[in-house]
């Protein structure tokens, strides 16, 4: 696994976290208990911080980055991801907030300052524009995203199942990696 310091910042990785050998985590990054970062994902906390909660999965090929302080973005923007979040394959999360229990579909892009509120789902291939706030408990699709409908109870249960499934799966990978 590749976990690297950047200047004064060493990533803070809780025990039980799975970071695949082919993933990169660098700089001011914290990752909470039982989360996982899958092959070819990049979590680059160099010019601002990245926080990932507990039991959150960052699936293969995803890119997580932040924005620095400049005249174009005063103070810059960190990236904050809550707990029990599923980040699908090849997602880009850039200097935004994803609250607890969300699912970000494969290939989606979430731009600076956007906020994905608790328990919502962003469909595969969607684009969330800068600063957009997505309401809790809804499905959003398209590029740019539009609110489509409220999530069904079954889908809400699936969001929880998905995060728990990835905790079990990362334990299997931890068990067979060493
Ligand atoms: C949106 C999603 C949840 C399906 O929801 P659904 O309500 O069952 O949608 P349906 O398959 O019934 O399709 C309804 C309409 O939405 C369209 N649609 C489905 N997924 C879409 C997407 N991601 N973006 C845009 N449109 C989509 C369908 O083409 C259909 O359009 P139509 O009515 O014009 O024919 C699913 O397609 C999706 O994007 N899931 C994300 C899965 C994922 O990435 N998981 C993480 C990695 S494991």
């Amino acid at each position: 696994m590749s976990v690297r310091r950047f200047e004064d910042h060493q990533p803070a990785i809780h025990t039980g976290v799975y970071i695949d050998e082919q993933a990169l985590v660098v700089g001011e990054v914290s990752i909470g208990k039982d989360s996982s970062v899958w092959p070819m994902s990049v979590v680059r906390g160099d010019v601002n911080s990245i926080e990932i909660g507990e039991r959150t999965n960052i699936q293969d090929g995803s890119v997580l980055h932040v924005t620095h302080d400049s005249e174009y973005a005063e103070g810059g923007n960190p990236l904050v991801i809550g707990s029990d979040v599923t980040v699908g394959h090849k997602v880009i999360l850039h200097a935004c907030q994803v609250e607890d229990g969300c699912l970000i579909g494969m290939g989606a892009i979430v731009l600076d300052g956007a906020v994905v509120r608790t328990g919502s789902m962003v469909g595969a291939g969607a684009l969330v524009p800068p600063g957009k706030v997505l309401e809790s408990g809804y499905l959003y699709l398209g590029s740019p995203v539009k609110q489509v409908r409220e999530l069904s109870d079954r889908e809400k249960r699936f969001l929880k199942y998905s995060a728990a499934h990835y905790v079990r799966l990362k334990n299997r990978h931890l068990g067979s990696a060493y």
Side-chain angles (χ1 to χ4, degrees):
M1 109 175 111
S2 190
V3 176
R4 300 209 303 245
R5 167 182 291 274
F6 176 69
E7 295 177 343
D8 292 340
H9 298 290
Q10 175 71 24
I13 313 291
H14 199 283
T15 50
V17 168
Y18 175 62
I19 299 173
D20 189 90
E21 280 188 28
Q22 299 296 324
L24 173 63
V25 176
V26 57
E28 192 174 0
V29 176
S30 67
I31 304 184
K33 188 169 187 278
D34 284 331
S35 288
S36 53
V37 182
W38 295 85
M40 312 314 287
S41 290
V42 174
V43 182
R44 179 155 60 92
D46 49 4
V47 295
N48 218 314
S49 62
I50 298 179
E51 187 183 321
I52 299 174
E54 301 183 352
R55 300 172 301 280
T56 283
N57 61 87
I58 311 297
Q59 295 180 21
D60 322 66
S62 292
V63 175
L64 279 51
H65 193 230
V66 286
T67 295
H68 66 284
D69 175 32
S70 75
E71 62 180 294
Y72 306 103
E74 207 177 317
N77 273 316
L79 169 61
V80 181
I81 305 172
S83 296
D84 302 299
V85 173
T86 292
V87 175
H89 314 284
K90 212 163 172 276
V91 164
I92 297 175
L93 298 179
H94 201 272
C96 57
Q97 283 181 57
V98 180
E99 295 183 349
D100 295 347
C102 291
L103 183 149
I104 311 296
M106 310 176 216
I109 300 175
V110 186
L111 293 173
D112 285 52
V115 181
V116 183
R117 294 270 187 234
T118 309
S120 44
M121 192 190 303
V122 173
L127 181 134
V128 183
K132 181 145 180 121
V133 179
L134 306 192
E135 201 176 339
S136 181
Y138 280 80
L139 173 65
Y140 287 82
L141 297 180
S143 178
V145 282
K146 297 276 180 283
Q147 189 182 85
V148 174
R149 58 172 171 76
E150 205 168 348
L151 292 174
S152 65
D153 289 342
R154 181 179 164 80
E155 286 169 326
K156 288 176 182 170
R157 286 195 301 276
F158 176 75
L159 298 186
K160 292 190 172 71
Y161 167 83
S162 177
H165 166 69
Y166 263 88
V167 171
R168 290 190 292 273
L169 187 56
K170 70 87 186 166
N171 285 336
R172 291 170 61 191
H173 280 258
L174 279 173
S176 64
Y178 306 105

